[in-house]
PDB file of all heavy atoms in Angstrom:
ATOM      1  N   VAL A   1       0.843  -1.184   0.022  1.00  0.00           N
ATOM      2  CA  VAL A   1      -0.008  -0.003  -0.013  1.00  0.00           C
ATOM      3  C   VAL A   1       0.871   1.254   0.005  1.00  0.00           C
ATOM      4  O   VAL A   1       1.848   1.324   0.735  1.00  0.00           O
ATOM      5  CB  VAL A   1      -0.945   0.012   1.214  1.00  0.00           C
ATOM      6  CG1 VAL A   1      -1.784   1.282   1.261  1.00  0.00           C
ATOM      7  CG2 VAL A   1      -1.843  -1.209   1.204  1.00  0.00           C
ATOM      8  N   ARG A   2       0.501   2.184  -0.822  1.00  0.00           N
ATOM      9  CA  ARG A   2       1.229   3.467  -0.984  1.00  0.00           C
ATOM     10  C   ARG A   2       0.501   4.546  -0.197  1.00  0.00           C
ATOM     11  O   ARG A   2      -0.693   4.731  -0.376  1.00  0.00           O
ATOM     12  CB  ARG A   2       1.256   3.795  -2.472  1.00  0.00           C
ATOM     13  CG  ARG A   2       1.958   5.035  -2.890  1.00  0.00           C
ATOM     14  CD  ARG A   2       1.848   5.242  -4.395  1.00  0.00           C
ATOM     15  NE  ARG A   2       2.384   4.106  -5.143  1.00  0.00           N
ATOM     16  CZ  ARG A   2       3.696   3.923  -5.422  1.00  0.00           C
ATOM     17  NH1 ARG A   2       4.579   4.790  -4.988  1.00  0.00           N
ATOM     18  NH2 ARG A   2       4.098   2.870  -6.101  1.00  0.00           N
ATOM     19  N   GLY A   3       1.226   5.257   0.680  1.00  0.00           N
ATOM     20  CA  GLY A   3       0.643   6.354   1.428  1.00  0.00           C
ATOM     21  C   GLY A   3       0.088   5.934   2.778  1.00  0.00           C
ATOM     22  O   GLY A   3       0.170   4.786   3.176  1.00  0.00           O
ATOM     23  N   LYS A   4      -0.490   6.926   3.459  1.00  0.00           N
ATOM     24  CA  LYS A   4      -1.029   6.693   4.822  1.00  0.00           C
ATOM     25  C   LYS A   4      -2.236   5.784   4.780  1.00  0.00           C
ATOM     26  O   LYS A   4      -2.976   5.758   3.796  1.00  0.00           O
ATOM     27  CB  LYS A   4      -1.406   8.031   5.459  1.00  0.00           C
ATOM     28  CG  LYS A   4      -0.215   8.920   5.710  1.00  0.00           C
ATOM     29  CD  LYS A   4      -0.658  10.209   6.382  1.00  0.00           C
ATOM     30  CE  LYS A   4       0.547  11.101   6.636  1.00  0.00           C
ATOM     31  NZ  LYS A   4       0.166  12.356   7.308  1.00  0.00           N
ATOM     32  N   VAL A   5      -2.417   5.061   5.894  1.00  0.00           N
ATOM     33  CA  VAL A   5      -3.490   4.088   6.021  1.00  0.00           C
ATOM     34  C   VAL A   5      -4.062   4.149   7.433  1.00  0.00           C
ATOM     35  O   VAL A   5      -3.327   4.234   8.390  1.00  0.00           O
ATOM     36  CB  VAL A   5      -2.988   2.622   5.794  1.00  0.00           C
ATOM     37  CG1 VAL A   5      -4.066   1.620   5.948  1.00  0.00           C
ATOM     38  CG2 VAL A   5      -2.261   2.508   4.466  1.00  0.00           C
ATOM     39  N   GLN A   6      -5.377   4.123   7.531  1.00  0.00           N
ATOM     40  CA  GLN A   6      -6.045   3.998   8.816  1.00  0.00           C
ATOM     41  C   GLN A   6      -6.821   2.683   8.851  1.00  0.00           C
ATOM     42  O   GLN A   6      -7.417   2.281   7.853  1.00  0.00           O
ATOM     43  CB  GLN A   6      -7.038   5.176   9.022  1.00  0.00           C
ATOM     44  CG  GLN A   6      -6.390   6.506   9.162  1.00  0.00           C
ATOM     45  CD  GLN A   6      -5.489   6.580  10.384  1.00  0.00           C
ATOM     46  OE1 GLN A   6      -5.836   6.138  11.474  1.00  0.00           O
ATOM     47  NE2 GLN A   6      -4.274   7.100  10.176  1.00  0.00           N
ATOM     48  N   ALA A   7      -6.780   1.994   9.999  1.00  0.00           N
ATOM     49  CA  ALA A   7      -7.531   0.738  10.129  1.00  0.00           C
ATOM     50  C   ALA A   7      -8.976   0.972   9.708  1.00  0.00           C
ATOM     51  O   ALA A   7      -9.576   1.955  10.108  1.00  0.00           O
ATOM     52  CB  ALA A   7      -7.433   0.238  11.568  1.00  0.00           C
ATOM     53  N   GLY A   8      -9.481   0.070   8.883  1.00  0.00           N
ATOM     54  CA  GLY A   8     -10.837   0.184   8.383  1.00  0.00           C
ATOM     55  C   GLY A   8     -10.949   0.816   6.998  1.00  0.00           C
ATOM     56  O   GLY A   8     -12.013   0.771   6.385  1.00  0.00           O
ATOM     57  N   ASP A   9      -9.863   1.437   6.522  1.00  0.00           N
ATOM     58  CA  ASP A   9      -9.866   2.023   5.166  1.00  0.00           C
ATOM     59  C   ASP A   9     -10.077   0.909   4.142  1.00  0.00           C
ATOM     60  O   ASP A   9      -9.690  -0.239   4.359  1.00  0.00           O
ATOM     61  CB  ASP A   9      -8.542   2.724   4.837  1.00  0.00           C
ATOM     62  CG  ASP A   9      -8.412   4.079   5.505  1.00  0.00           C
ATOM     63  OD1 ASP A   9      -9.368   4.567   6.103  1.00  0.00           O
ATOM     64  OD2 ASP A   9      -7.285   4.630   5.404  1.00  0.00           O
ATOM     65  N   TYR A  10     -10.619   1.282   3.001  1.00  0.00           N
ATOM     66  CA  TYR A  10     -10.702   0.377   1.852  1.00  0.00           C
ATOM     67  C   TYR A  10      -9.396   0.485   1.058  1.00  0.00           C
ATOM     68  O   TYR A  10      -8.835   1.575   0.948  1.00  0.00           O
ATOM     69  CB  TYR A  10     -11.865   0.757   0.941  1.00  0.00           C
ATOM     70  CG  TYR A  10     -13.217   0.541   1.578  1.00  0.00           C
ATOM     71  CD1 TYR A  10     -13.893   1.578   2.221  1.00  0.00           C
ATOM     72  CD2 TYR A  10     -13.804  -0.709   1.577  1.00  0.00           C
ATOM     73  CE1 TYR A  10     -15.130   1.349   2.793  1.00  0.00           C
ATOM     74  CE2 TYR A  10     -15.054  -0.934   2.123  1.00  0.00           C
ATOM     75  CZ  TYR A  10     -15.699   0.103   2.750  1.00  0.00           C
ATOM     76  OH  TYR A  10     -16.924  -0.088   3.322  1.00  0.00           O
ATOM     77  N   ILE A  11      -8.942  -0.636   0.504  1.00  0.00           N
ATOM     78  CA  ILE A  11      -7.769  -0.645  -0.324  1.00  0.00           C
ATOM     79  C   ILE A  11      -8.252  -0.816  -1.770  1.00  0.00           C
ATOM     80  O   ILE A  11      -8.960  -1.766  -2.100  1.00  0.00           O
ATOM     81  CB  ILE A  11      -6.739  -1.740   0.046  1.00  0.00           C
ATOM     82  CG1 ILE A  11      -6.265  -1.524   1.471  1.00  0.00           C
ATOM     83  CG2 ILE A  11      -5.591  -1.774  -0.922  1.00  0.00           C
ATOM     84  CD1 ILE A  11      -5.551  -0.200   1.728  1.00  0.00           C
ATOM     85  N   LEU A  12      -7.805   0.122  -2.613  1.00  0.00           N
ATOM     86  CA  LEU A  12      -8.092   0.104  -4.063  1.00  0.00           C
ATOM     87  C   LEU A  12      -6.791   0.068  -4.834  1.00  0.00           C
ATOM     88  O   LEU A  12      -5.770   0.493  -4.300  1.00  0.00           O
ATOM     89  CB  LEU A  12      -8.854   1.384  -4.454  1.00  0.00           C
ATOM     90  CG  LEU A  12     -10.083   1.764  -3.622  1.00  0.00           C
ATOM     91  CD1 LEU A  12     -10.653   3.083  -4.131  1.00  0.00           C
ATOM     92  CD2 LEU A  12     -11.139   0.687  -3.705  1.00  0.00           C
ATOM     93  N   PRO A  13      -6.776  -0.426  -6.055  1.00  0.00           N
ATOM     94  CA  PRO A  13      -5.544  -0.361  -6.854  1.00  0.00           C
ATOM     95  C   PRO A  13      -5.080   1.106  -7.000  1.00  0.00           C
ATOM     96  O   PRO A  13      -5.929   2.006  -7.119  1.00  0.00           O
ATOM     97  CB  PRO A  13      -5.956  -0.905  -8.225  1.00  0.00           C
ATOM     98  CG  PRO A  13      -7.221  -1.656  -7.979  1.00  0.00           C
ATOM     99  CD  PRO A  13      -7.891  -1.000  -6.819  1.00  0.00           C
ATOM    100  N   SER A  14      -3.804   1.333  -7.000  1.00  0.00           N
ATOM    101  CA  SER A  14      -3.253   2.680  -7.082  1.00  0.00           C
ATOM    102  C   SER A  14      -3.493   3.314  -8.465  1.00  0.00           C
ATOM    103  O   SER A  14      -3.448   4.530  -8.603  1.00  0.00           O
ATOM    104  CB  SER A  14      -1.767   2.689  -6.809  1.00  0.00           C
ATOM    105  OG  SER A  14      -1.074   1.997  -7.853  1.00  0.00           O
ATOM    106  N   GLY A  15      -3.705   2.497  -9.485  1.00  0.00           N
ATOM    107  CA  GLY A  15      -3.844   2.992 -10.858  1.00  0.00           C
ATOM    108  C   GLY A  15      -2.504   3.139 -11.542  1.00  0.00           C
ATOM    109  O   GLY A  15      -2.449   3.549 -12.714  1.00  0.00           O
ATOM    110  N   LEU A  16      -1.435   2.821 -10.846  1.00  0.00           N
ATOM    111  CA  LEU A  16      -0.074   2.936 -11.426  1.00  0.00           C
ATOM    112  C   LEU A  16       0.402   1.665 -12.116  1.00  0.00           C
ATOM    113  O   LEU A  16       1.495   1.618 -12.639  1.00  0.00           O
ATOM    114  CB  LEU A  16       0.920   3.346 -10.325  1.00  0.00           C
ATOM    115  CG  LEU A  16       0.609   4.682  -9.626  1.00  0.00           C
ATOM    116  CD1 LEU A  16       1.579   4.879  -8.464  1.00  0.00           C
ATOM    117  CD2 LEU A  16       0.705   5.820 -10.623  1.00  0.00           C
ATOM    118  N   ASN A  17      -0.413   0.618 -12.043  1.00  0.00           N
ATOM    119  CA  ASN A  17      -0.073  -0.694 -12.642  1.00  0.00           C
ATOM    120  C   ASN A  17       1.298  -1.211 -12.149  1.00  0.00           C
ATOM    121  O   ASN A  17       2.060  -1.781 -12.904  1.00  0.00           O
ATOM    122  CB  ASN A  17      -0.102  -0.613 -14.146  1.00  0.00           C
ATOM    123  CG  ASN A  17      -1.492  -0.291 -14.663  1.00  0.00           C
ATOM    124  OD1 ASN A  17      -2.473  -0.782 -14.120  1.00  0.00           O
ATOM    125  ND2 ASN A  17      -1.576   0.528 -15.675  1.00  0.00           N
ATOM    126  N   ASP A  18       1.537  -0.986 -10.848  1.00  0.00           N
ATOM    127  CA  ASP A  18       2.806  -1.415 -10.232  1.00  0.00           C
ATOM    128  C   ASP A  18       2.606  -2.394  -9.094  1.00  0.00           C
ATOM    129  O   ASP A  18       3.525  -2.687  -8.327  1.00  0.00           O
ATOM    130  CB  ASP A  18       3.620  -0.207  -9.769  1.00  0.00           C
ATOM    131  CG  ASP A  18       2.941   0.567  -8.681  1.00  0.00           C
ATOM    132  OD1 ASP A  18       1.766   0.283  -8.346  1.00  0.00           O
ATOM    133  OD2 ASP A  18       3.543   1.526  -8.147  1.00  0.00           O
ATOM    134  N   GLY A  19       1.390  -2.916  -8.935  1.00  0.00           N
ATOM    135  CA  GLY A  19       1.101  -3.863  -7.865  1.00  0.00           C
ATOM    136  C   GLY A  19       0.728  -3.214  -6.545  1.00  0.00           C
ATOM    137  O   GLY A  19       0.392  -3.929  -5.604  1.00  0.00           O
ATOM    138  N   THR A  20       0.695  -1.891  -6.454  1.00  0.00           N
ATOM    139  CA  THR A  20       0.406  -1.233  -5.193  1.00  0.00           C
ATOM    140  C   THR A  20      -1.069  -0.816  -5.131  1.00  0.00           C
ATOM    141  O   THR A  20      -1.746  -0.666  -6.156  1.00  0.00           O
ATOM    142  CB  THR A  20       1.276   0.022  -4.968  1.00  0.00           C
ATOM    143  OG1 THR A  20       0.998   0.977  -5.973  1.00  0.00           O
ATOM    144  CG2 THR A  20       2.751  -0.343  -4.956  1.00  0.00           C
ATOM    145  N   GLY A  21      -1.510  -0.578  -3.873  1.00  0.00           N
ATOM    146  CA  GLY A  21      -2.820  -0.054  -3.647  1.00  0.00           C
ATOM    147  C   GLY A  21      -2.755   1.231  -2.888  1.00  0.00           C
ATOM    148  O   GLY A  21      -1.680   1.639  -2.423  1.00  0.00           O
ATOM    149  N   VAL A  22      -3.904   1.879  -2.730  1.00  0.00           N
ATOM    150  CA  VAL A  22      -4.030   3.084  -1.930  1.00  0.00           C
ATOM    151  C   VAL A  22      -5.212   2.896  -0.969  1.00  0.00           C
ATOM    152  O   VAL A  22      -6.137   2.179  -1.290  1.00  0.00           O
ATOM    153  CB  VAL A  22      -4.222   4.349  -2.801  1.00  0.00           C
ATOM    154  CG1 VAL A  22      -2.988   4.660  -3.579  1.00  0.00           C
ATOM    155  CG2 VAL A  22      -5.416   4.225  -3.692  1.00  0.00           C
ATOM    156  N   ALA A  23      -5.107   3.580   0.166  1.00  0.00           N
ATOM    157  CA  ALA A  23      -6.181   3.522   1.154  1.00  0.00           C
ATOM    158  C   ALA A  23      -7.162   4.653   0.914  1.00  0.00           C
ATOM    159  O   ALA A  23      -6.763   5.778   0.660  1.00  0.00           O
ATOM    160  CB  ALA A  23      -5.592   3.606   2.560  1.00  0.00           C
ATOM    161  N   VAL A  24      -8.440   4.312   1.006  1.00  0.00           N
ATOM    162  CA  VAL A  24      -9.514   5.310   0.871  1.00  0.00           C
ATOM    163  C   VAL A  24     -10.456   5.151   2.052  1.00  0.00           C
ATOM    164  O   VAL A  24     -10.973   4.033   2.254  1.00  0.00           O
ATOM    165  CB  VAL A  24     -10.271   5.139  -0.475  1.00  0.00           C
ATOM    166  CG1 VAL A  24     -11.386   6.154  -0.588  1.00  0.00           C
ATOM    167  CG2 VAL A  24      -9.313   5.233  -1.664  1.00  0.00           C
ATOM    168  N   GLY A  25     -10.667   6.221   2.775  1.00  0.00           N
ATOM    169  CA  GLY A  25     -11.567   6.180   3.896  1.00  0.00           C
ATOM    170  C   GLY A  25     -13.024   6.076   3.463  1.00  0.00           C
ATOM    171  O   GLY A  25     -13.359   6.426   2.348  1.00  0.00           O
ATOM    172  N   GLN A  26     -13.859   5.547   4.338  1.00  0.00           N
ATOM    173  CA  GLN A  26     -15.237   5.289   4.007  1.00  0.00           C
ATOM    174  C   GLN A  26     -15.964   6.543   3.488  1.00  0.00           C
ATOM    175  O   GLN A  26     -16.741   6.481   2.531  1.00  0.00           O
ATOM    176  CB  GLN A  26     -15.986   4.735   5.237  1.00  0.00           C
ATOM    177  CG  GLN A  26     -17.392   4.302   4.927  1.00  0.00           C
ATOM    178  CD  GLN A  26     -18.006   3.518   6.049  1.00  0.00           C
ATOM    179  OE1 GLN A  26     -17.377   3.184   7.025  1.00  0.00           O
ATOM    180  NE2 GLN A  26     -19.276   3.220   5.935  1.00  0.00           N
ATOM    181  N   THR A  27     -15.719   7.696   4.096  1.00  0.00           N
ATOM    182  CA  THR A  27     -16.405   8.913   3.653  1.00  0.00           C
ATOM    183  C   THR A  27     -15.918   9.441   2.320  1.00  0.00           C
ATOM    184  O   THR A  27     -16.601  10.228   1.682  1.00  0.00           O
ATOM    185  CB  THR A  27     -16.247  10.046   4.733  1.00  0.00           C
ATOM    186  OG1 THR A  27     -14.853  10.308   4.913  1.00  0.00           O
ATOM    187  CG2 THR A  27     -16.897   9.654   6.036  1.00  0.00           C
ATOM    188  N   ALA A  28     -14.724   8.998   1.873  1.00  0.00           N
ATOM    189  CA  ALA A  28     -14.182   9.438   0.586  1.00  0.00           C
ATOM    190  C   ALA A  28     -14.550   8.482  -0.569  1.00  0.00           C
ATOM    191  O   ALA A  28     -14.227   8.753  -1.732  1.00  0.00           O
ATOM    192  CB  ALA A  28     -12.666   9.572   0.684  1.00  0.00           C
ATOM    193  N   MET A  29     -15.215   7.385  -0.255  1.00  0.00           N
ATOM    194  CA  MET A  29     -15.553   6.408  -1.298  1.00  0.00           C
ATOM    195  C   MET A  29     -16.627   6.994  -2.224  1.00  0.00           C
ATOM    196  O   MET A  29     -17.586   7.619  -1.755  1.00  0.00           O
ATOM    197  CB  MET A  29     -16.077   5.116  -0.666  1.00  0.00           C
ATOM    198  CG  MET A  29     -15.018   4.317   0.060  1.00  0.00           C
ATOM    199  SD  MET A  29     -13.828   3.542  -1.058  1.00  0.00           S
ATOM    200  CE  MET A  29     -14.841   2.253  -1.776  1.00  0.00           C
ATOM    201  N   ALA A  30     -16.444   6.763  -3.516  1.00  0.00           N
ATOM    202  CA  ALA A  30     -17.411   7.167  -4.530  1.00  0.00           C
ATOM    203  C   ALA A  30     -17.966   5.891  -5.193  1.00  0.00           C
ATOM    204  O   ALA A  30     -17.335   4.830  -5.100  1.00  0.00           O
ATOM    205  CB  ALA A  30     -16.722   8.028  -5.570  1.00  0.00           C
ATOM    206  N   PRO A  31     -19.112   5.964  -5.836  1.00  0.00           N
ATOM    207  CA  PRO A  31     -19.705   4.753  -6.437  1.00  0.00           C
ATOM    208  C   PRO A  31     -18.725   4.000  -7.344  1.00  0.00           C
ATOM    209  O   PRO A  31     -18.717   2.769  -7.351  1.00  0.00           O
ATOM    210  CB  PRO A  31     -20.894   5.309  -7.203  1.00  0.00           C
ATOM    211  CG  PRO A  31     -21.331   6.487  -6.422  1.00  0.00           C
ATOM    212  CD  PRO A  31     -20.048   7.111  -5.930  1.00  0.00           C
ATOM    213  N   VAL A  32     -17.907   4.703  -8.081  1.00  0.00           N
ATOM    214  CA  VAL A  32     -16.967   4.043  -8.997  1.00  0.00           C
ATOM    215  C   VAL A  32     -15.932   3.212  -8.262  1.00  0.00           C
ATOM    216  O   VAL A  32     -15.389   2.266  -8.800  1.00  0.00           O
ATOM    217  CB  VAL A  32     -16.280   5.102  -9.917  1.00  0.00           C
ATOM    218  CG1 VAL A  32     -15.347   6.021  -9.109  1.00  0.00           C
ATOM    219  CG2 VAL A  32     -15.549   4.427 -11.041  1.00  0.00           C
ATOM    220  N   HIS A  33     -15.660   3.509  -7.023  1.00  0.00           N
ATOM    221  CA  HIS A  33     -14.674   2.790  -6.228  1.00  0.00           C
ATOM    222  C   HIS A  33     -15.121   1.407  -5.774  1.00  0.00           C
ATOM    223  O   HIS A  33     -14.300   0.532  -5.566  1.00  0.00           O
ATOM    224  CB  HIS A  33     -14.296   3.569  -4.949  1.00  0.00           C
ATOM    225  CG  HIS A  33     -13.604   4.846  -5.220  1.00  0.00           C
ATOM    226  ND1 HIS A  33     -13.814   5.973  -4.432  1.00  0.00           N
ATOM    227  CD2 HIS A  33     -12.706   5.208  -6.163  1.00  0.00           C
ATOM    228  CE1 HIS A  33     -13.054   6.956  -4.895  1.00  0.00           C
ATOM    229  NE2 HIS A  33     -12.382   6.520  -5.957  1.00  0.00           N
ATOM    230  N   TYR A  34     -16.408   1.197  -5.615  1.00  0.00           N
ATOM    231  CA  TYR A  34     -16.869  -0.036  -5.001  1.00  0.00           C
ATOM    232  C   TYR A  34     -16.533  -1.312  -5.817  1.00  0.00           C
ATOM    233  O   TYR A  34     -16.341  -2.368  -5.240  1.00  0.00           O
ATOM    234  CB  TYR A  34     -18.365   0.043  -4.681  1.00  0.00           C
ATOM    235  CG  TYR A  34     -18.595   0.925  -3.492  1.00  0.00           C
ATOM    236  CD1 TYR A  34     -18.893   2.271  -3.629  1.00  0.00           C
ATOM    237  CD2 TYR A  34     -18.437   0.443  -2.194  1.00  0.00           C
ATOM    238  CE1 TYR A  34     -19.045   3.104  -2.541  1.00  0.00           C
ATOM    239  CE2 TYR A  34     -18.605   1.261  -1.101  1.00  0.00           C
ATOM    240  CZ  TYR A  34     -18.905   2.584  -1.272  1.00  0.00           C
ATOM    241  OH  TYR A  34     -19.051   3.416  -0.205  1.00  0.00           O
ATOM    242  N   MET A  35     -16.436  -1.208  -7.097  1.00  0.00           N
ATOM    243  CA  MET A  35     -16.064  -2.379  -7.916  1.00  0.00           C
ATOM    244  C   MET A  35     -14.559  -2.657  -7.882  1.00  0.00           C
ATOM    245  O   MET A  35     -14.108  -3.655  -8.407  1.00  0.00           O
ATOM    246  CB  MET A  35     -16.500  -2.156  -9.365  1.00  0.00           C
ATOM    247  CG  MET A  35     -18.012  -2.159  -9.550  1.00  0.00           C
ATOM    248  SD  MET A  35     -18.763  -3.732  -9.108  1.00  0.00           S
ATOM    249  CE  MET A  35     -18.116  -4.797 -10.345  1.00  0.00           C
ATOM    250  N   GLN A  36     -13.785  -1.753  -7.258  1.00  0.00           N
ATOM    251  CA  GLN A  36     -12.350  -1.885  -7.189  1.00  0.00           C
ATOM    252  C   GLN A  36     -11.820  -2.310  -5.820  1.00  0.00           C
ATOM    253  O   GLN A  36     -10.624  -2.411  -5.631  1.00  0.00           O
ATOM    254  CB  GLN A  36     -11.669  -0.576  -7.592  1.00  0.00           C
ATOM    255  CG  GLN A  36     -12.018  -0.105  -8.964  1.00  0.00           C
ATOM    256  CD  GLN A  36     -11.417   1.245  -9.266  1.00  0.00           C
ATOM    257  OE1 GLN A  36     -11.129   2.036  -8.356  1.00  0.00           O
ATOM    258  NE2 GLN A  36     -11.171   1.511 -10.509  1.00  0.00           N
ATOM    259  N   ILE A  37     -12.693  -2.533  -4.874  1.00  0.00           N
ATOM    260  CA  ILE A  37     -12.250  -2.824  -3.504  1.00  0.00           C
ATOM    261  C   ILE A  37     -11.474  -4.148  -3.464  1.00  0.00           C
ATOM    262  O   ILE A  37     -11.986  -5.184  -3.903  1.00  0.00           O
ATOM    263  CB  ILE A  37     -13.448  -2.903  -2.537  1.00  0.00           C
ATOM    264  CG1 ILE A  37     -14.103  -1.501  -2.387  1.00  0.00           C
ATOM    265  CG2 ILE A  37     -12.997  -3.410  -1.156  1.00  0.00           C
ATOM    266  CD1 ILE A  37     -15.390  -1.519  -1.605  1.00  0.00           C
ATOM    267  N   ILE A  38     -10.278  -4.075  -2.902  1.00  0.00           N
ATOM    268  CA  ILE A  38      -9.457  -5.252  -2.697  1.00  0.00           C
ATOM    269  C   ILE A  38      -9.763  -5.832  -1.309  1.00  0.00           C
ATOM    270  O   ILE A  38      -9.816  -7.039  -1.123  1.00  0.00           O
ATOM    271  CB  ILE A  38      -7.944  -4.904  -2.781  1.00  0.00           C
ATOM    272  CG1 ILE A  38      -7.605  -4.226  -4.088  1.00  0.00           C
ATOM    273  CG2 ILE A  38      -7.083  -6.135  -2.551  1.00  0.00           C
ATOM    274  CD1 ILE A  38      -7.849  -5.041  -5.319  1.00  0.00           C
ATOM    275  N   GLY A  39      -9.951  -4.971  -0.318  1.00  0.00           N
ATOM    276  CA  GLY A  39     -10.227  -5.382   1.034  1.00  0.00           C
ATOM    277  C   GLY A  39     -10.216  -4.161   1.931  1.00  0.00           C
ATOM    278  O   GLY A  39     -10.122  -3.055   1.482  1.00  0.00           O
ATOM    279  N   ARG A  40     -10.303  -4.438   3.240  1.00  0.00           N
ATOM    280  CA  ARG A  40     -10.236  -3.373   4.268  1.00  0.00           C
ATOM    281  C   ARG A  40      -9.057  -3.626   5.170  1.00  0.00           C
ATOM    282  O   ARG A  40      -8.745  -4.768   5.504  1.00  0.00           O
ATOM    283  CB  ARG A  40     -11.512  -3.365   5.095  1.00  0.00           C
ATOM    284  CG  ARG A  40     -12.709  -2.891   4.244  1.00  0.00           C
ATOM    285  CD  ARG A  40     -13.913  -2.699   5.054  1.00  0.00           C
ATOM    286  NE  ARG A  40     -13.910  -1.368   5.672  1.00  0.00           N
ATOM    287  CZ  ARG A  40     -14.938  -0.852   6.294  1.00  0.00           C
ATOM    288  NH1 ARG A  40     -16.043  -1.572   6.477  1.00  0.00           N
ATOM    289  NH2 ARG A  40     -14.869   0.353   6.809  1.00  0.00           N
ATOM    290  N   THR A  41      -8.458  -2.541   5.567  1.00  0.00           N
ATOM    291  CA  THR A  41      -7.212  -2.636   6.383  1.00  0.00           C
ATOM    292  C   THR A  41      -7.518  -3.037   7.802  1.00  0.00           C
ATOM    293  O   THR A  41      -8.558  -2.652   8.369  1.00  0.00           O
ATOM    294  CB  THR A  41      -6.456  -1.304   6.352  1.00  0.00           C
ATOM    295  OG1 THR A  41      -7.274  -0.304   6.890  1.00  0.00           O
ATOM    296  CG2 THR A  41      -6.028  -0.964   4.952  1.00  0.00           C
ATOM    297  N   TRP A  42      -6.590  -3.755   8.363  1.00  0.00           N
ATOM    298  CA  TRP A  42      -6.679  -4.157   9.773  1.00  0.00           C
ATOM    299  C   TRP A  42      -5.671  -3.430  10.638  1.00  0.00           C
ATOM    300  O   TRP A  42      -5.579  -3.671  11.824  1.00  0.00           O
ATOM    301  CB  TRP A  42      -6.413  -5.670   9.892  1.00  0.00           C
ATOM    302  CG  TRP A  42      -7.529  -6.524   9.393  1.00  0.00           C
ATOM    303  CD1 TRP A  42      -8.318  -6.311   8.305  1.00  0.00           C
ATOM    304  CD2 TRP A  42      -7.968  -7.728   9.962  1.00  0.00           C
ATOM    305  NE1 TRP A  42      -9.233  -7.306   8.173  1.00  0.00           N
ATOM    306  CE2 TRP A  42      -9.028  -8.207   9.200  1.00  0.00           C
ATOM    307  CE3 TRP A  42      -7.563  -8.494  11.070  1.00  0.00           C
ATOM    308  CZ2 TRP A  42      -9.705  -9.385   9.491  1.00  0.00           C
ATOM    309  CZ3 TRP A  42      -8.227  -9.663  11.338  1.00  0.00           C
ATOM    310  CH2 TRP A  42      -9.293 -10.093  10.563  1.00  0.00           C
ATOM    311  N   GLU A  43      -4.909  -2.551  10.020  1.00  0.00           N
ATOM    312  CA  GLU A  43      -3.878  -1.784  10.751  1.00  0.00           C
ATOM    313  C   GLU A  43      -3.710  -0.418  10.148  1.00  0.00           C
ATOM    314  O   GLU A  43      -4.244  -0.141   9.060  1.00  0.00           O
ATOM    315  CB  GLU A  43      -2.565  -2.563  10.749  1.00  0.00           C
ATOM    316  CG  GLU A  43      -2.017  -2.873   9.379  1.00  0.00           C
ATOM    317  CD  GLU A  43      -0.794  -3.789   9.422  1.00  0.00           C
ATOM    318  OE1 GLU A  43       0.102  -3.502  10.194  1.00  0.00           O
ATOM    319  OE2 GLU A  43      -0.796  -4.755   8.679  1.00  0.00           O
ATOM    320  N   SER A  44      -2.979   0.445  10.859  1.00  0.00           N
ATOM    321  CA  SER A  44      -2.757   1.824  10.424  1.00  0.00           C
ATOM    322  C   SER A  44      -1.282   2.072  10.214  1.00  0.00           C
ATOM    323  O   SER A  44      -0.428   1.361  10.807  1.00  0.00           O
ATOM    324  CB  SER A  44      -3.277   2.814  11.478  1.00  0.00           C
ATOM    325  OG  SER A  44      -4.662   2.627  11.710  1.00  0.00           O
ATOM    326  N   SER A  45      -0.965   3.086   9.411  1.00  0.00           N
ATOM    327  CA  SER A  45       0.411   3.496   9.221  1.00  0.00           C
ATOM    328  C   SER A  45       0.418   4.952   8.741  1.00  0.00           C
ATOM    329  O   SER A  45      -0.345   5.320   7.857  1.00  0.00           O
ATOM    330  CB  SER A  45       1.125   2.619   8.180  1.00  0.00           C
ATOM    331  OG  SER A  45       2.430   3.124   7.891  1.00  0.00           O
ATOM    332  N   ASP A  46       1.322   5.759   9.305  1.00  0.00           N
ATOM    333  CA  ASP A  46       1.499   7.141   8.881  1.00  0.00           C
ATOM    334  C   ASP A  46       2.583   7.262   7.825  1.00  0.00           C
ATOM    335  O   ASP A  46       2.856   8.376   7.377  1.00  0.00           O
ATOM    336  CB  ASP A  46       1.825   8.043  10.088  1.00  0.00           C
ATOM    337  CG  ASP A  46       0.617   8.236  11.001  1.00  0.00           C
ATOM    338  OD1 ASP A  46      -0.529   8.263  10.443  1.00  0.00           O
ATOM    339  OD2 ASP A  46       0.801   8.404  12.195  1.00  0.00           O
TER     340      ASP A  46
END
């Protein structure tokens, strides 16, 4: 995962086609994101 993560965030592909994902908080999710969900985080990192 690339960038900051909070437990409970959704992980989506980064769009960089490099195998990484990005964390998106529940309030920032848009309808287009829901088909891209990889999973939800169980931990946080700054």
